[in-house]
Amino acid sequence: SADMAGRPHLINVFASWCTPCRVEHPMLIALRDDGVEIVGIAYKDAPTASARFLDELGNPFSAVALDPDGRFALELGTAGVPETFVIGADGTIKAVHRGPLTPDVVETIILPALAAH
């Protein structure tokens, strides 16, 4: 969106019913704490369930969008949840990781893609 124009950021597709999303959540919190801006997309989830999930585990997102029918995720090319997209300052997708984030994935894929110009 225009709100994010010119700023590299992550888009993380998650769901409250997704066990691997719970596993990766501490990595998202750590990225946020390191200054990475993350937009969350609640995939095929009820708003109350998503809110409860974030209340329980902490909210790493600068914004959360609801995708109740999965249409936006489909447009992104999401195969399932969780998935993380690195968006460059120019608005293009620089990297995609399908599955839960791990320290190795963050170091070898996410951070280098965020730093690329």
Side-chain angles (χ1 to χ4, degrees):
S1 79
D3 293 345
M4 301 302 291
R7 300 188 337 243
H9 60 282
L10 303 180
I11 295 175
N12 179 261
V13 184
F14 75 99
S16 65
W17 46 262
C18 164
T19 300
C21 296
R22 287 183 171 274
V23 171
E24 82 167 356
H25 207 78
M27 294 302 311
L28 294 170
I29 297 289
L31 284 164
R32 179 208 60 200
D33 290 349
D34 287 342
V36 175
E37 194 161 7
I38 310 168
V39 174
I41 306 295
Y43 175 75
K44 293 187 177 181
D45 211 351
T48 54
S50 296
R52 210 169 27 251
F53 177 86
L54 296 174
D55 285 345
E56 176 188 341
L57 299 177
N59 186 350
F61 306 121
S62 59
V64 177
L66 302 175
D67 189 17
D69 58 8
R71 202 166 287 174
F72 179 75
L74 186 63
E75 288 179 21
L76 271 177
T78 300
V81 288
E83 284 193 23
T84 303
F85 296 79
V86 179
I87 309 300
D90 63 356
T92 63
I93 297 172
K94 302 294 185 186
V96 178
H97 178 71
R98 291 169 176 28
L101 295 176
T102 64
D104 184 57
V105 168
V106 168
E107 290 299 320
T108 62
I109 297 171
I110 303 301
L111 294 179
L114 276 171
H117 297 284

